[in-house]
Amino acid sequence: MRYLSKRKYAVIFLMASFLFPLTSHAESISAERQATLKHLLIQDCGSCHGLRMKGGLGPALTPGDIADKPKEGLVATIIHGRPGTAMPPWAALLTDQEATWLIDQLLQGVSP
Amino acid sequence: MRKRLCITPLFALALSACSLTSVQEEPRGTGDLGVVIERAAGNVLIVEHTNNQAIARVEGLGDLSHASVVFSRDERYAYVFGRDGGLTKVDLLKQRIDKRIIQGGNSIGGAISQDGRLIAVGNYEPGGVKIFTADTLELVADIPATAIADGSKNSRVVGMVDAPGQKFLVSLFDTGEIWIIDFSDSAADAPTVSRFTDIGKQPYDSMLTPEGRYYIAGLFGEDGLAMLDLWNPEQGVTRILDGYGKGNQALPVYKMPHLEGWTVADNQAFVPGVGHHQVLVIDTQTWQQSKAIEMVGQPVFVMARPDARQIWVNFAYPDNQYVQVIDSQTKEVIKTIEPGPGVLHMEFTPRGEHIWISVRDRNEVQVWDTQTLEHLYTLEADNPSGIFFTNRAHRIGL
């Protein structure tokens, strides 16, 4: 797995923080949208990361795999993707707030 | 016990009573059977396409987030390759698991050898290929993939197919290779492995022509495909359709496309354009692109009806509620249908009068008429994904 250099990461993070203030307002995501996001997480993220988030073409995303990683970086990975890998940018389909909510779900652990 | 009862020389009545008590009332063939993966629950449904019905559910196959299936040559057993490295041999007649092993940490798919005696699995983790006996699932060979540049692990293996001459072919996603694994020398302790390197960036899947001659790997990391002529392997891997997306910004790919079988009709091959809302058409005489067909989304499966007169295409999220049908002669989309959200896979009946479509978010498998393009039947299934019919047993490269 190739990782971005720290500097590139910082740039992406700064851009992300400028465009989308990194505050979580999970309560402002409607219950209906949360259900859609949960479904997306398990079924569509799960296509590469596994329905149980134990990895596949993409890396494992269980709480144990991601708990020690900076949350902002994880959110930025969802929004901007990871160039050079199969991870696409989801900015066209997800807001930063929704990506943050998804990371929160992963940190709590999800299962189908 | 039952057998002893049967051979007791009584009356015809006793014999018929005996047959009534058996698990299976009548001997039956398996040529109209198949399996549907219920990916979230880790089950397979055994289905029958003569009467468009599910006949049994077999549970306990582990994590089927990504699953593929090959069949024994007698079409009795389905070998199911699961995401968790599970390899499960399902008996379609007894409707139960015959044998199940965990052979790796994370696998992508497999193949059955020409003679039906070997099962090969391509693994992501640990990256490599493992080969097992088809009857007992005992390990025959373990071939680690090439280590990636930093040496931390081995390349992920994709695009496993069987090929004539007791061969398996795979592609290596991280290191950009195609391997021929040759078991034709039965006296040898280990297979011979021919490695073709620098075939292109990130091969994601592959396909083989029906006669088993051309192996083609699609590339994710660049626009193009890598082709190996198995009649002339000494000529090495050649690149085709280089830079097919030129001038167009590639779109984010929300689901990796699949290349399954060889979608070829009238000397034209149809493949997904990765990162583009297009199906690409390749002239197989010249290996040049002859057309790009604009589609409603990014193609995932591009599959020819068995008579090759139509090409059916499903799409990546967020367009996965649609299926489009292409006329293979005019290369135009003739119909867009909307089976429902989460169309994940399609399978034609052996002679192509029907197509079965899994519609994950509706918990349905739908059967459509390929002539009238109308929806005929619906089967219930729990989050269905892959659909595999037993006639695959006798097709090279599937």
Side-chain angles (χ1 to χ4, degrees), chain A residues 1 39-40 42-44 46-52 54-58 84-93 112, chain B residues 39-41 62-66 83 106 124 148 150 153 156 173 202 220 252-256 317-318 320 360-361 383:
Chain A
M1 177 54 65
H39 186 269
L40 174 91
I42 289 170
Q43 299 295 345
D44 295 290
S47 288
C48 279
H49 296 281
L51 300 191
R52 294 171 173 81
K54 290 180 177 171
L57 185 63
T85 77
M87 179 67 185
W90 290 81
L93 300 169
Chain B
R39 71 179 203 159
D63 184 350
L64 299 180
S65 306
H66 188 288
R83 170 100 298 165
N106 197 322
Y124 281 163
I148 64 172
D150 68 5
K153 58 180 184 172
R156 288 165 284 189
F173 181 84
Q202 296 174 320
F220 178 78
V253 178
Y254 298 115
K255 182 172 171 62
M256 197 60 90
Y317 182 88
N320 62 10
R360 182 194 63 202
D361 297 348
N383 284 278

Side-chain angles (χ1 to χ4, degrees), chain B residues 240-241 268 281-291:
Chain B
I240 57 174
L241 263 59
Q268 307 286 318
V281 188
I282 310 169
D283 184 327
T284 59
Q285 314 275 296
T286 62
W287 299 109
Q288 301 294 311
Q289 181 176 321
S290 58
K291 189 171 181 184

